Amino acid sequence: MGYRVAVVGATGAVGREMMTILEEVKFPISEIYAVASRKSMGIEISFGTKTLKCQDIEQFDFSKVDIVLMSAGGDVSKAWSEKIGALGPIVIDNSSAWRMHPEVPLIVPEVNPDAVWDAKKKNIIANPNCSTIQMVTVLKPLHDAAQIKRVVVSTYQSVAGAGKAGMDELWDQTKAIYGMGDKEPKKFTKQIAFNVIPHIDVFMEDGYTKEEWKMIVETHKILDPTIDVVPTCVRVPVFVGHSESINIEFESPMDEHLAREILREAPGVAVVDKRENGGYISPIECVGEFDTFVSRIRNDTTVPHGISLWCVSDNLRKGAALNAVQIAQLLDERGVIAAVAA
Ligand SMILES: NC(=O)c1ccc[n+]([C@@H]2O[C@H](COP(=O)([O-])OP(=O)(O)OC[C@H]3O[C@@H](n4cnc5c(N)ncnc54)[C@H](OP(=O)(O)O)[C@@H]3O)[C@@H](O)[C@H]2O)c1
């Protein structure tokens, strides 16, 4: 028994990772299809030992699949997800197009798995923003223990978060510094090589960026609308792996020892926290991993119950493709959809 699965955006940074993870976790699949834009038609995509030929979204028959893993950007999702859902399959969408729709569940399986029961309302499930996913995965077990009041977070987001074009730009500019290529910014607003840019997505009227707004409203939808979230989102010249410095204030007693104990038991979290040279995780070490890593847990002595910590995760995996595949696993485990005979 298995599911018929289509990956839309299969040529992209997230789509390729989805293919790899579906195979790694041995998701029960009877048929798999790679789909992208017309220009990618016929491009070969690997799936385990198989080679798939990429198909054109305009010509693909979505009624023959059960699950669509969609990672082709917001505009494509706005144009296609509802139409696909109406044909029967459940769309798990990586873009921001549907995240705040009241009839679309926004899911991080370690945090709000029961929201999966709302999947059938529109046959669309939204995957949260990469920075939100790793943050709420860490906040959830702490919130259960001592009720979080306020979170101040600064992100250090890799260029992979801006897709393949973002990674190409960092590579080209890095070479250009040594006189071998183009260093004009195209994807980013300023030079990203050997620099950091305190600006991700568009500016909102209140001075926050849309990336920062997403971290606030998505945390409210997934975890708890009473938590105050104050984010600053920054792009850094790292290829893959987002880092976050998080300061958390609680209603009830919490300290570094209790937080460490709780996080050691938390699903999807790994604590690496030695107070010595290199006793913490940096983004380069989280690449290819499933867990969200937590380091530098320490007391914030300026408030009655507060801690600060450092958290790192592979944004193409837990921040996108892995979380989407885990949602598909949730659909399977909870029997929201039925597998068909292979
Ligand atoms: N990168 C991350 O860390 C991350 C994290 C969370 C969410 N996301 C979201 O995931 C989505 C994909 O991101 P990405 O980083 O993988 O981007 P990407 O590397 O630029 O890939 C984009 C994919 O979308 C496809 N596509 C573009 N226009 C299309 C169209 N009109 N019809 C069908 N397919 C089309 C592309 O196919 P062609 O090659 O044929 O153009 C490609 O496969 C975005 O919504 C992004 O916001 C990304």
Side-chain angles (χ1 to χ4, degrees):
M1 298 290 273
Y3 296 95
R4 300 164 300 171
V5 177
V7 174
V8 176
T11 53
V14 175
R16 285 180 189 272
E17 206 64 41
M18 281 171 166
M19 288 289 187
T20 308
I21 292 174
L22 283 167
E23 170 64 13
E24 265 178 47
V25 303
K26 300 284 173 232
F27 188 73
I29 285 176
S30 56
E31 293 289 338
I32 177 124
Y33 303 93
V35 181
S37 75
R38 178 160 304 174
K39 80 169 165 45
S40 300
M41 220 167 101
I43 284 182
E44 292 188 343
I45 305 278
S46 304
F47 178 72
T49 53
K50 285 189 195 163
T51 302
L52 310 175
K53 291 252 193 249
C54 202
Q55 304 191 41
D56 172 13
I57 192 170
E58 300 280 349
Q59 291 172 25
F60 188 75
D61 175 9
F62 285 99
S63 67
K64 68 181 180 187
V65 298
D66 308 299
I67 298 172
V68 175
L69 296 174
M70 173 88 99
S71 72
D75 291 342
V76 178
S77 179
K78 276 183 201 144
W80 284 93
S81 293
E82 237 173 351
K83 279 197 278 187
I84 296 170
L87 292 171
I90 292 189
V91 178
I92 302 171
D93 180 43
N94 258 283
S95 80
S96 57
W98 298 95
R99 289 181 191 149
M100 298 315 293
H101 191 291
E103 289 181 315
V104 172
L106 181 66
I107 301 179
V108 177
E110 294 88 342
V111 181
N112 61 337
D114 293 342
V116 80
W117 296 115
D118 292 331
K120 289 281 193 180
K121 286 186 177 167
K122 284 187 86 63
N123 279 359
I124 304 173
I125 300 175
N127 209 35
N129 178 267
C130 39
S131 303
T132 310
I133 294 178
Q134 71 184 74
M135 183 173 78
V136 296
T137 302
V138 172
L139 294 185
K140 160 76 175 163
L142 299 172
H143 186 53
D144 287 348
Q147 183 79 27
I148 295 171
K149 275 200 321 204
R150 183 168 187 260
V151 173
V152 181
V153 54
S154 295
T155 70
Y156 305 73
Q157 296 180 224
S158 71
V159 294
K164 191 178 169 305
M167 292 195 264
D168 289 347
E169 188 153 318
L170 174 57
W171 177 240
D172 288 342
Q173 285 181 358
T174 305
K175 285 187 298 178
I177 302 294
Y178 300 101
M180 288 184 288
D182 181 8
K183 74 169 192 269
E184 280 314 304
K186 295 187 194 85
K187 182 77 184 171
F188 301 114
T189 51
K190 294 192 183 238
Q191 179 183 315
I192 185 64
F194 305 100
N195 200 10
V196 297
I197 307 173
H199 172 196
I200 301 179
D201 211 330
V202 297
F203 279 97
M204 315 275 289
E205 257 180 25
D206 60 5
Y208 283 82
T209 62
K210 192 142 184 221
E211 185 82 353
E212 291 158 356
W213 174 82
K214 286 176 202 166
M215 290 192 80
I216 300 169
V217 295
E218 292 179 18
T219 300
H220 289 168
K221 182 165 174 176
I222 300 164
L223 185 55
D224 188 337
T226 67
I227 298 175
D228 289 329
V229 182
V230 189
T232 302
C233 291
V234 180
R235 186 75 68 196
V236 298
V238 165
F239 278 104
V240 178
H242 287 359
S243 307
E244 296 178 354
S245 161
I246 312 178
N247 176 264
I248 314 162
E249 198 179 337
F250 298 85
E251 292 283 357
S252 313
M254 173 63 68
D255 64 20
E256 60 183 34
H257 303 292
L258 182 54
R260 203 171 284 114
E261 212 176 285
I262 290 168
L263 290 171
R264 280 196 204 288
E265 300 299 318
V269 175
V271 175
V272 178
D273 193 17
K274 291 189 190 144
R275 291 175 177 175
E276 60 188 39
N277 291 348
Y280 39 80
I281 293 283
S282 64
I284 221 160
E285 294 149 304
C286 78
V287 175
E289 299 289 337
F290 279 17
D291 280 332
T292 295
F293 294 89
V294 179
S295 307
R296 305 283 329 273
I297 305 169
R298 60 213 189 272
N299 288 329
D300 172 1
T301 53
T302 66
V303 293
H305 312 299
I307 59 163
S308 291
L309 55 81
W310 173 251
C311 127
V312 179
S313 193
D314 182 331
N315 57 295
L316 294 178
R317 293 204 147 207
K318 186 57 186 165
L322 172 63
N323 199 69
V325 172
Q326 288 171 328
I327 293 171
Q329 290 178 310
L330 202 55
L331 288 170
D332 173 44
E333 285 156 18
R334 302 268 174 124
V336 178
I337 51 172
V340 292

PDB file of all heavy atoms in Angstrom, residues 134-169:
ATOM      1  N   GLN A 134      11.415  26.428  13.256  1.00  0.00           N
ATOM      2  CA  GLN A 134      12.430  26.030  14.238  1.00  0.00           C
ATOM      3  C   GLN A 134      12.187  26.701  15.581  1.00  0.00           C
ATOM      4  O   GLN A 134      12.417  26.112  16.630  1.00  0.00           O
ATOM      5  CB  GLN A 134      13.849  26.271  13.710  1.00  0.00           C
ATOM      6  CG  GLN A 134      14.287  27.715  13.603  1.00  0.00           C
ATOM      7  CD  GLN A 134      15.685  27.826  12.983  1.00  0.00           C
ATOM      8  OE1 GLN A 134      15.852  27.648  11.788  1.00  0.00           O
ATOM      9  NE2 GLN A 134      16.699  28.103  13.802  1.00  0.00           N
ATOM     10  N   MET A 135      11.658  27.933  15.551  1.00  0.00           N
ATOM     11  CA  MET A 135      11.419  28.631  16.821  1.00  0.00           C
ATOM     12  C   MET A 135      10.286  27.961  17.614  1.00  0.00           C
ATOM     13  O   MET A 135      10.451  27.676  18.811  1.00  0.00           O
ATOM     14  CB  MET A 135      11.087  30.109  16.576  1.00  0.00           C
ATOM     15  CG  MET A 135      10.904  30.869  17.884  1.00  0.00           C
ATOM     16  SD  MET A 135      10.705  32.640  17.662  1.00  0.00           S
ATOM     17  CE  MET A 135       9.011  32.766  17.136  1.00  0.00           C
ATOM     18  N   VAL A 136       9.143  27.663  16.962  1.00  0.00           N
ATOM     19  CA  VAL A 136       8.028  27.092  17.741  1.00  0.00           C
ATOM     20  C   VAL A 136       8.324  25.661  18.191  1.00  0.00           C
ATOM     21  O   VAL A 136       7.800  25.216  19.214  1.00  0.00           O
ATOM     22  CB  VAL A 136       6.664  27.170  16.996  1.00  0.00           C
ATOM     23  CG1 VAL A 136       6.244  28.612  16.777  1.00  0.00           C
ATOM     24  CG2 VAL A 136       6.657  26.377  15.698  1.00  0.00           C
ATOM     25  N   THR A 137       9.178  24.953  17.440  1.00  0.00           N
ATOM     26  CA  THR A 137       9.558  23.594  17.860  1.00  0.00           C
ATOM     27  C   THR A 137      10.262  23.657  19.222  1.00  0.00           C
ATOM     28  O   THR A 137      10.054  22.801  20.087  1.00  0.00           O
ATOM     29  CB  THR A 137      10.482  22.950  16.796  1.00  0.00           C
ATOM     30  OG1 THR A 137       9.779  22.929  15.556  1.00  0.00           O
ATOM     31  CG2 THR A 137      10.883  21.539  17.169  1.00  0.00           C
ATOM     32  N   VAL A 138      11.053  24.703  19.421  1.00  0.00           N
ATOM     33  CA  VAL A 138      11.776  24.872  20.694  1.00  0.00           C
ATOM     34  C   VAL A 138      10.863  25.496  21.765  1.00  0.00           C
ATOM     35  O   VAL A 138      10.906  25.111  22.941  1.00  0.00           O
ATOM     36  CB  VAL A 138      13.034  25.749  20.463  1.00  0.00           C
ATOM     37  CG1 VAL A 138      13.704  26.105  21.777  1.00  0.00           C
ATOM     38  CG2 VAL A 138      14.016  25.026  19.549  1.00  0.00           C
ATOM     39  N   LEU A 139      10.012  26.440  21.352  1.00  0.00           N
ATOM     40  CA  LEU A 139       9.173  27.131  22.345  1.00  0.00           C
ATOM     41  C   LEU A 139       8.095  26.222  22.945  1.00  0.00           C
ATOM     42  O   LEU A 139       7.761  26.351  24.128  1.00  0.00           O
ATOM     43  CB  LEU A 139       8.477  28.342  21.712  1.00  0.00           C
ATOM     44  CG  LEU A 139       9.352  29.510  21.242  1.00  0.00           C
ATOM     45  CD1 LEU A 139       8.480  30.666  20.765  1.00  0.00           C
ATOM     46  CD2 LEU A 139      10.288  29.994  22.358  1.00  0.00           C
ATOM     47  N   LYS A 140       7.529  25.332  22.133  1.00  0.00           N
ATOM     48  CA  LYS A 140       6.363  24.546  22.568  1.00  0.00           C
ATOM     49  C   LYS A 140       6.569  23.820  23.909  1.00  0.00           C
ATOM     50  O   LYS A 140       5.765  23.987  24.841  1.00  0.00           O
ATOM     51  CB  LYS A 140       5.987  23.569  21.442  1.00  0.00           C
ATOM     52  CG  LYS A 140       5.140  22.386  21.838  1.00  0.00           C
ATOM     53  CD  LYS A 140       3.696  22.760  22.054  1.00  0.00           C
ATOM     54  CE  LYS A 140       2.881  21.500  22.327  1.00  0.00           C
ATOM     55  NZ  LYS A 140       1.590  21.807  22.931  1.00  0.00           N
ATOM     56  N   PRO A 141       7.632  23.004  24.068  1.00  0.00           N
ATOM     57  CA  PRO A 141       7.762  22.292  25.354  1.00  0.00           C
ATOM     58  C   PRO A 141       8.021  23.239  26.527  1.00  0.00           C
ATOM     59  O   PRO A 141       7.602  22.955  27.652  1.00  0.00           O
ATOM     60  CB  PRO A 141       8.962  21.361  25.127  1.00  0.00           C
ATOM     61  CG  PRO A 141       9.695  21.933  23.964  1.00  0.00           C
ATOM     62  CD  PRO A 141       8.698  22.640  23.123  1.00  0.00           C
ATOM     63  N   LEU A 142       8.657  24.383  26.263  1.00  0.00           N
ATOM     64  CA  LEU A 142       8.904  25.354  27.339  1.00  0.00           C
ATOM     65  C   LEU A 142       7.601  26.057  27.706  1.00  0.00           C
ATOM     66  O   LEU A 142       7.311  26.300  28.889  1.00  0.00           O
ATOM     67  CB  LEU A 142       9.953  26.380  26.883  1.00  0.00           C
ATOM     68  CG  LEU A 142      11.336  25.804  26.528  1.00  0.00           C
ATOM     69  CD1 LEU A 142      12.222  26.871  25.902  1.00  0.00           C
ATOM     70  CD2 LEU A 142      12.013  25.217  27.770  1.00  0.00           C
ATOM     71  N   HIS A 143       6.786  26.349  26.704  1.00  0.00           N
ATOM     72  CA  HIS A 143       5.485  26.995  26.929  1.00  0.00           C
ATOM     73  C   HIS A 143       4.567  26.081  27.746  1.00  0.00           C
ATOM     74  O   HIS A 143       3.875  26.531  28.657  1.00  0.00           O
ATOM     75  CB  HIS A 143       4.857  27.315  25.567  1.00  0.00           C
ATOM     76  CG  HIS A 143       3.596  28.109  25.632  1.00  0.00           C
ATOM     77  ND1 HIS A 143       3.490  29.303  26.307  1.00  0.00           N
ATOM     78  CD2 HIS A 143       2.366  27.882  25.074  1.00  0.00           C
ATOM     79  CE1 HIS A 143       2.258  29.780  26.176  1.00  0.00           C
ATOM     80  NE2 HIS A 143       1.556  28.937  25.451  1.00  0.00           N
ATOM     81  N   ASP A 144       4.586  24.787  27.428  1.00  0.00           N
ATOM     82  CA  ASP A 144       3.773  23.825  28.182  1.00  0.00           C
ATOM     83  C   ASP A 144       4.174  23.813  29.654  1.00  0.00           C
ATOM     84  O   ASP A 144       3.342  23.613  30.533  1.00  0.00           O
ATOM     85  CB  ASP A 144       3.948  22.403  27.612  1.00  0.00           C
ATOM     86  CG  ASP A 144       3.234  22.234  26.276  1.00  0.00           C
ATOM     87  OD1 ASP A 144       2.431  23.114  25.910  1.00  0.00           O
ATOM     88  OD2 ASP A 144       3.506  21.220  25.594  1.00  0.00           O
ATOM     89  N   ALA A 145       5.452  24.044  29.934  1.00  0.00           N
ATOM     90  CA  ALA A 145       5.951  23.953  31.312  1.00  0.00           C
ATOM     91  C   ALA A 145       5.729  25.242  32.099  1.00  0.00           C
ATOM     92  O   ALA A 145       5.475  25.200  33.304  1.00  0.00           O
ATOM     93  CB  ALA A 145       7.434  23.602  31.302  1.00  0.00           C
ATOM     94  N   ALA A 146       5.845  26.400  31.477  1.00  0.00           N
ATOM     95  CA  ALA A 146       5.861  27.634  32.284  1.00  0.00           C
ATOM     96  C   ALA A 146       5.214  28.838  31.604  1.00  0.00           C
ATOM     97  O   ALA A 146       5.408  29.969  32.052  1.00  0.00           O
ATOM     98  CB  ALA A 146       7.300  27.976  32.663  1.00  0.00           C
ATOM     99  N   GLN A 147       4.393  28.632  30.555  1.00  0.00           N
ATOM    100  CA  GLN A 147       3.613  29.720  29.927  1.00  0.00           C
ATOM    101  C   GLN A 147       4.488  30.903  29.505  1.00  0.00           C
ATOM    102  O   GLN A 147       4.825  31.765  30.326  1.00  0.00           O
ATOM    103  CB  GLN A 147       2.519  30.188  30.914  1.00  0.00           C
ATOM    104  CG  GLN A 147       1.585  31.240  30.401  1.00  0.00           C
ATOM    105  CD  GLN A 147       0.490  30.661  29.487  1.00  0.00           C
ATOM    106  OE1 GLN A 147       0.122  29.516  29.607  1.00  0.00           O
ATOM    107  NE2 GLN A 147       0.014  31.479  28.572  1.00  0.00           N
ATOM    108  N   ILE A 148       4.814  30.927  28.229  1.00  0.00           N
ATOM    109  CA  ILE A 148       5.654  32.024  27.714  1.00  0.00           C
ATOM    110  C   ILE A 148       4.832  33.306  27.607  1.00  0.00           C
ATOM    111  O   ILE A 148       3.691  33.294  27.133  1.00  0.00           O
ATOM    112  CB  ILE A 148       6.232  31.644  26.327  1.00  0.00           C
ATOM    113  CG1 ILE A 148       7.183  30.452  26.463  1.00  0.00           C
ATOM    114  CG2 ILE A 148       6.946  32.828  25.695  1.00  0.00           C
ATOM    115  CD1 ILE A 148       7.647  29.866  25.154  1.00  0.00           C
ATOM    116  N   LYS A 149       5.453  34.421  28.063  1.00  0.00           N
ATOM    117  CA  LYS A 149       4.807  35.743  27.949  1.00  0.00           C
ATOM    118  C   LYS A 149       5.322  36.480  26.724  1.00  0.00           C
ATOM    119  O   LYS A 149       4.570  37.090  25.977  1.00  0.00           O
ATOM    120  CB  LYS A 149       5.201  36.609  29.169  1.00  0.00           C
ATOM    121  CG  LYS A 149       4.364  36.393  30.366  1.00  0.00           C
ATOM    122  CD  LYS A 149       4.378  37.502  31.394  1.00  0.00           C
ATOM    123  CE  LYS A 149       5.635  38.237  31.731  1.00  0.00           C
ATOM    124  NZ  LYS A 149       5.649  38.843  33.047  1.00  0.00           N
ATOM    125  N   ARG A 150       6.652  36.486  26.544  1.00  0.00           N
ATOM    126  CA  ARG A 150       7.254  37.348  25.531  1.00  0.00           C
ATOM    127  C   ARG A 150       8.515  36.696  24.959  1.00  0.00           C
ATOM    128  O   ARG A 150       9.286  36.074  25.709  1.00  0.00           O
ATOM    129  CB  ARG A 150       7.615  38.687  26.194  1.00  0.00           C
ATOM    130  CG  ARG A 150       8.194  39.735  25.271  1.00  0.00           C
ATOM    131  CD  ARG A 150       8.209  41.085  25.995  1.00  0.00           C
ATOM    132  NE  ARG A 150       8.598  42.156  25.114  1.00  0.00           N
ATOM    133  CZ  ARG A 150       9.812  42.689  25.052  1.00  0.00           C
ATOM    134  NH1 ARG A 150      10.762  42.241  25.863  1.00  0.00           N
ATOM    135  NH2 ARG A 150      10.082  43.670  24.222  1.00  0.00           N
ATOM    136  N   VAL A 151       8.681  36.871  23.660  1.00  0.00           N
ATOM    137  CA  VAL A 151       9.853  36.318  22.973  1.00  0.00           C
ATOM    138  C   VAL A 151      10.506  37.431  22.160  1.00  0.00           C
ATOM    139  O   VAL A 151       9.837  38.099  21.376  1.00  0.00           O
ATOM    140  CB  VAL A 151       9.417  35.179  22.010  1.00  0.00           C
ATOM    141  CG1 VAL A 151      10.596  34.708  21.161  1.00  0.00           C
ATOM    142  CG2 VAL A 151       8.800  34.017  22.773  1.00  0.00           C
ATOM    143  N   VAL A 152      11.813  37.634  22.345  1.00  0.00           N
ATOM    144  CA  VAL A 152      12.563  38.563  21.491  1.00  0.00           C
ATOM    145  C   VAL A 152      13.539  37.710  20.683  1.00  0.00           C
ATOM    146  O   VAL A 152      14.364  36.994  21.264  1.00  0.00           O
ATOM    147  CB  VAL A 152      13.322  39.616  22.320  1.00  0.00           C
ATOM    148  CG1 VAL A 152      14.075  40.571  21.394  1.00  0.00           C
ATOM    149  CG2 VAL A 152      12.352  40.398  23.213  1.00  0.00           C
ATOM    150  N   VAL A 153      13.401  37.733  19.362  1.00  0.00           N
ATOM    151  CA  VAL A 153      14.208  36.833  18.529  1.00  0.00           C
ATOM    152  C   VAL A 153      14.924  37.606  17.424  1.00  0.00           C
ATOM    153  O   VAL A 153      14.334  38.487  16.796  1.00  0.00           O
ATOM    154  CB  VAL A 153      13.322  35.701  17.934  1.00  0.00           C
ATOM    155  CG1 VAL A 153      12.119  36.231  17.181  1.00  0.00           C
ATOM    156  CG2 VAL A 153      14.130  34.770  17.017  1.00  0.00           C
ATOM    157  N   SER A 154      16.212  37.293  17.219  1.00  0.00           N
ATOM    158  CA  SER A 154      16.959  37.799  16.069  1.00  0.00           C
ATOM    159  C   SER A 154      17.375  36.597  15.244  1.00  0.00           C
ATOM    160  O   SER A 154      17.911  35.619  15.785  1.00  0.00           O
ATOM    161  CB  SER A 154      18.210  38.553  16.508  1.00  0.00           C
ATOM    162  OG  SER A 154      17.829  39.703  17.222  1.00  0.00           O
ATOM    163  N   THR A 155      17.122  36.668  13.928  1.00  0.00           N
ATOM    164  CA  THR A 155      17.466  35.533  13.080  1.00  0.00           C
ATOM    165  C   THR A 155      18.739  35.822  12.287  1.00  0.00           C
ATOM    166  O   THR A 155      19.076  36.987  12.029  1.00  0.00           O
ATOM    167  CB  THR A 155      16.340  35.216  12.079  1.00  0.00           C
ATOM    168  OG1 THR A 155      16.273  36.262  11.097  1.00  0.00           O
ATOM    169  CG2 THR A 155      15.001  35.056  12.763  1.00  0.00           C
ATOM    170  N   TYR A 156      19.413  34.734  11.893  1.00  0.00           N
ATOM    171  CA  TYR A 156      20.602  34.799  11.045  1.00  0.00           C
ATOM    172  C   TYR A 156      20.305  33.797   9.923  1.00  0.00           C
ATOM    173  O   TYR A 156      20.613  32.610  10.046  1.00  0.00           O
ATOM    174  CB  TYR A 156      21.843  34.369  11.828  1.00  0.00           C
ATOM    175  CG  TYR A 156      22.081  35.149  13.115  1.00  0.00           C
ATOM    176  CD1 TYR A 156      21.274  34.945  14.235  1.00  0.00           C
ATOM    177  CD2 TYR A 156      23.125  36.064  13.198  1.00  0.00           C
ATOM    178  CE1 TYR A 156      21.497  35.646  15.413  1.00  0.00           C
ATOM    179  CE2 TYR A 156      23.354  36.759  14.375  1.00  0.00           C
ATOM    180  CZ  TYR A 156      22.540  36.557  15.478  1.00  0.00           C
ATOM    181  OH  TYR A 156      22.758  37.239  16.640  1.00  0.00           O
ATOM    182  N   GLN A 157      19.630  34.277   8.858  1.00  0.00           N
ATOM    183  CA  GLN A 157      19.045  33.356   7.885  1.00  0.00           C
ATOM    184  C   GLN A 157      19.944  33.150   6.659  1.00  0.00           C
ATOM    185  O   GLN A 157      20.419  34.111   6.052  1.00  0.00           O
ATOM    186  CB  GLN A 157      17.663  33.876   7.463  1.00  0.00           C
ATOM    187  CG  GLN A 157      16.688  33.897   8.629  1.00  0.00           C
ATOM    188  CD  GLN A 157      15.304  34.409   8.272  1.00  0.00           C
ATOM    189  OE1 GLN A 157      14.744  35.210   9.030  1.00  0.00           O
ATOM    190  NE2 GLN A 157      14.729  33.976   7.175  1.00  0.00           N
ATOM    191  N   SER A 158      20.103  31.881   6.291  1.00  0.00           N
ATOM    192  CA  SER A 158      20.981  31.531   5.173  1.00  0.00           C
ATOM    193  C   SER A 158      20.371  31.950   3.838  1.00  0.00           C
ATOM    194  O   SER A 158      19.155  32.160   3.726  1.00  0.00           O
ATOM    195  CB  SER A 158      21.227  30.020   5.168  1.00  0.00           C
ATOM    196  OG  SER A 158      20.042  29.353   4.767  1.00  0.00           O
ATOM    197  N   VAL A 159      21.213  32.006   2.814  1.00  0.00           N
ATOM    198  CA  VAL A 159      20.736  32.401   1.482  1.00  0.00           C
ATOM    199  C   VAL A 159      19.865  31.322   0.843  1.00  0.00           C
ATOM    200  O   VAL A 159      19.088  31.622  -0.065  1.00  0.00           O
ATOM    201  CB  VAL A 159      21.918  32.760   0.548  1.00  0.00           C
ATOM    202  CG1 VAL A 159      22.642  33.990   1.030  1.00  0.00           C
ATOM    203  CG2 VAL A 159      22.885  31.588   0.377  1.00  0.00           C
ATOM    204  N   ALA A 160      19.943  30.066   1.321  1.00  0.00           N
ATOM    205  CA  ALA A 160      19.067  29.015   0.777  1.00  0.00           C
ATOM    206  C   ALA A 160      17.597  29.361   1.001  1.00  0.00           C
ATOM    207  O   ALA A 160      16.732  28.891   0.268  1.00  0.00           O
ATOM    208  CB  ALA A 160      19.386  27.672   1.412  1.00  0.00           C
ATOM    209  N   GLY A 161      17.333  30.190   2.002  1.00  0.00           N
ATOM    210  CA  GLY A 161      15.961  30.632   2.260  1.00  0.00           C
ATOM    211  C   GLY A 161      15.418  31.465   1.118  1.00  0.00           C
ATOM    212  O   GLY A 161      14.197  31.654   1.005  1.00  0.00           O
ATOM    213  N   ALA A 162      16.276  31.966   0.259  1.00  0.00           N
ATOM    214  CA  ALA A 162      15.832  32.731  -0.913  1.00  0.00           C
ATOM    215  C   ALA A 162      15.925  31.870  -2.172  1.00  0.00           C
ATOM    216  O   ALA A 162      15.956  32.392  -3.293  1.00  0.00           O
ATOM    217  CB  ALA A 162      16.667  33.993  -1.065  1.00  0.00           C
ATOM    218  N   GLY A 163      15.952  30.551  -2.001  1.00  0.00           N
ATOM    219  CA  GLY A 163      15.927  29.642  -3.146  1.00  0.00           C
ATOM    220  C   GLY A 163      17.281  29.508  -3.828  1.00  0.00           C
ATOM    221  O   GLY A 163      18.299  30.029  -3.371  1.00  0.00           O
ATOM    222  N   LYS A 164      17.239  28.812  -4.971  1.00  0.00           N
ATOM    223  CA  LYS A 164      18.471  28.518  -5.714  1.00  0.00           C
ATOM    224  C   LYS A 164      19.158  29.812  -6.154  1.00  0.00           C
ATOM    225  O   LYS A 164      20.383  29.925  -6.114  1.00  0.00           O
ATOM    226  CB  LYS A 164      18.102  27.656  -6.928  1.00  0.00           C
ATOM    227  CG  LYS A 164      19.279  27.079  -7.622  1.00  0.00           C
ATOM    228  CD  LYS A 164      18.874  26.196  -8.784  1.00  0.00           C
ATOM    229  CE  LYS A 164      20.086  25.853  -9.636  1.00  0.00           C
ATOM    230  NZ  LYS A 164      20.818  27.012 -10.119  1.00  0.00           N
ATOM    231  N   ALA A 165      18.332  30.829  -6.516  1.00  0.00           N
ATOM    232  CA  ALA A 165      18.911  32.100  -6.980  1.00  0.00           C
ATOM    233  C   ALA A 165      19.725  32.764  -5.867  1.00  0.00           C
ATOM    234  O   ALA A 165      20.749  33.408  -6.122  1.00  0.00           O
ATOM    235  CB  ALA A 165      17.799  33.029  -7.457  1.00  0.00           C
ATOM    236  N   GLY A 166      19.281  32.622  -4.621  1.00  0.00           N
ATOM    237  CA  GLY A 166      19.996  33.196  -3.479  1.00  0.00           C
ATOM    238  C   GLY A 166      21.346  32.520  -3.281  1.00  0.00           C
ATOM    239  O   GLY A 166      22.365  33.182  -3.016  1.00  0.00           O
ATOM    240  N   MET A 167      21.360  31.196  -3.422  1.00  0.00           N
ATOM    241  CA  MET A 167      22.626  30.459  -3.245  1.00  0.00           C
ATOM    242  C   MET A 167      23.600  30.818  -4.374  1.00  0.00           C
ATOM    243  O   MET A 167      24.793  31.017  -4.134  1.00  0.00           O
ATOM    244  CB  MET A 167      22.348  28.958  -3.204  1.00  0.00           C
ATOM    245  CG  MET A 167      21.591  28.555  -1.956  1.00  0.00           C
ATOM    246  SD  MET A 167      21.630  26.786  -1.648  1.00  0.00           S
ATOM    247  CE  MET A 167      20.114  26.298  -2.385  1.00  0.00           C
ATOM    248  N   ASP A 168      23.068  30.925  -5.602  1.00  0.00           N
ATOM    249  CA  ASP A 168      23.928  31.285  -6.747  1.00  0.00           C
ATOM    250  C   ASP A 168      24.549  32.665  -6.537  1.00  0.00           C
ATOM    251  O   ASP A 168      25.725  32.888  -6.841  1.00  0.00           O
ATOM    252  CB  ASP A 168      23.103  31.295  -8.050  1.00  0.00           C
ATOM    253  CG  ASP A 168      22.702  29.887  -8.486  1.00  0.00           C
ATOM    254  OD1 ASP A 168      23.268  28.922  -7.938  1.00  0.00           O
ATOM    255  OD2 ASP A 168      21.815  29.765  -9.354  1.00  0.00           O
ATOM    256  N   GLU A 169      23.747  33.595  -5.973  1.00  0.00           N
ATOM    257  CA  GLU A 169      24.256  34.965  -5.806  1.00  0.00           C
ATOM    258  C   GLU A 169      25.407  35.013  -4.787  1.00  0.00           C
ATOM    259  O   GLU A 169      26.406  35.698  -5.002  1.00  0.00           O
ATOM    260  CB  GLU A 169      23.121  35.908  -5.390  1.00  0.00           C
ATOM    261  CG  GLU A 169      23.549  37.363  -5.383  1.00  0.00           C
ATOM    262  CD  GLU A 169      22.388  38.320  -5.630  1.00  0.00           C
ATOM    263  OE1 GLU A 169      21.560  38.040  -6.502  1.00  0.00           O
ATOM    264  OE2 GLU A 169      22.312  39.340  -4.927  1.00  0.00           O
TER     265      GLU A 169
END
